[in-house]
Amino acid sequence: MSALNDKFKGNWNQIKGKLKQKYGELTDDDLTYAEGKEDEMLGRIQKKTGQSKEEVKKFIDNL
């Protein structure tokens, strides 16, 4: 998951905006990024959207 972590660190504001566009129910609190807590954040996104973690990761990877 290191490529995903690099993406989180480098372009988080852009990724956050795209996630909010695709999944309108996400809030800033859902998308709070903390280094080392990526899985926890993906879990929040998964719970809110009903998507699997793999689907969310794939969406982020394709940005």
Side-chain angles (χ1 to χ4, degrees), residues 16-38:
K16 188 163 91 169
K18 301 254 185 210
L19 284 166
K20 285 173 106 176
Q21 284 176 356
K22 181 165 175 78
Y23 306 111
E25 62 273 14
L26 293 173
T27 65
D28 285 333
D29 286 341
D30 295 325
L31 297 172
T32 300
Y33 171 74
E35 194 168 337
K37 303 261 184 173
E38 293 85 2

